[in-house]
Amino acid sequence: MQDDFFARPSTPPPSLFFALMPSEGDQAVLDEATRLHATRFGRMKPVLAAKRHVTLLYLGQPMDEQIPSLVAGAGRAMSAVQGDAFVLTLDQVAVFGRNSVVLVASQTPRALAGLEVHMRQAAMLNRLLLAKSPAFHPHLTLGHNDDRRAPPEDCAPVRLAFDSVVLLRGVSGAPYDELGRWSLA
């Protein structure tokens, strides 16, 4: 029997994105925030600590054969981007999309806003954007609930320090592959 060439794949294809990864020292405060909000919006399945991140720029879902040239392009793009280390304060909690329980920044630090703009420009110049990237709104996913939605509301602030940007390849159900890392001055 022939495969259905038009059927959706059983697992989504890998995604490629630039992100900020919390340090190991910041994981305890994120564990506490996860516990605090675990039942606030219905039952929540937590995101593994190793997969917690703040997405800076979503590039798309490339084919395996595109990865080497995209990694090379990311290196070129990041060599043209300058940024400073910063602290991001996540002071709201909400449910984004269908079911993502997230910590949200009500204010974007100037250093982060500038970094995101420069990265987007460098990515466009190096032809890295494979998909339309959503507007940047700094947030970190704590887990996924049972489809209960909620608008942002104030919560105890979580402060995370970031001093590098990583290029990640994500496959459903597996740890991220780190394809590159660049320090912020």
Side-chain angles (χ1 to χ4, degrees):
M1 185 168 156
Q2 190 174 21
D3 289 335
D4 182 354
F5 294 112
F6 299 102
R8 293 183 103 179
S10 57
T11 58
S15 58
L16 193 66
F17 55 97
F18 286 105
L20 304 167
M21 298 293 288
S23 68
E24 285 198 31
D26 286 336
Q27 291 298 341
V29 74
L30 290 170
D31 290 341
E32 182 57 31
T34 299
R35 280 190 290 282
L36 180 65
H37 302 297
T39 59
R40 191 169 185 175
F41 305 107
R43 236 172 169 192
M44 181 176 79
K45 180 180 178 189
V47 169
L48 296 173
K51 293 194 90 167
R52 293 176 184 150
H53 67 278
V54 176
T55 301
L56 266 173
L57 186 59
Y58 177 73
L59 300 178
Q61 297 176 315
M63 295 179 285
D64 288 341
E65 56 270 16
Q66 293 176 293
I67 297 293
S69 65
L70 289 169
V71 171
R76 287 189 305 276
M78 290 305 295
S79 69
V81 172
Q82 293 185 351
D84 296 318
F86 60 91
V87 172
L88 176 63
T89 301
L90 301 166
D91 56 357
Q92 296 182 325
V93 62
V95 179
F96 277 6
R98 203 180 77 220
N99 69 345
S100 295
V101 179
V102 297
L103 291 176
V104 183
S106 63
Q107 302 276 327
T108 302
R110 186 175 310 192
L112 175 56
L115 176 64
E116 188 273 336
V117 166
H118 289 99
M119 286 183 64
R120 186 176 298 275
Q121 291 170 345
M124 287 173 30
L125 288 172
N126 285 278
R127 297 186 176 108
L128 294 177
L129 297 176
L130 303 174
K132 183 175 174 162
S133 191
F136 182 61
H137 195 115
H139 67 279
L140 182 141
T141 302
L142 294 175
H144 301 280
N145 73 1
D146 54 4
D147 294 340
R148 188 177 303 177
R149 296 176 186 211
E153 57 185 66
D154 292 342
C155 69
V158 172
R159 289 176 182 80
L160 304 173
F162 295 106
D163 62 2
S164 63
V165 172
V166 294
L167 179 64
L168 298 174
R169 182 171 185 246
V171 180
S172 183
Y176 292 131
D177 292 325
E178 186 176 309
L179 304 178
R181 180 177 289 266
W182 299 270
S183 292
L184 299 172

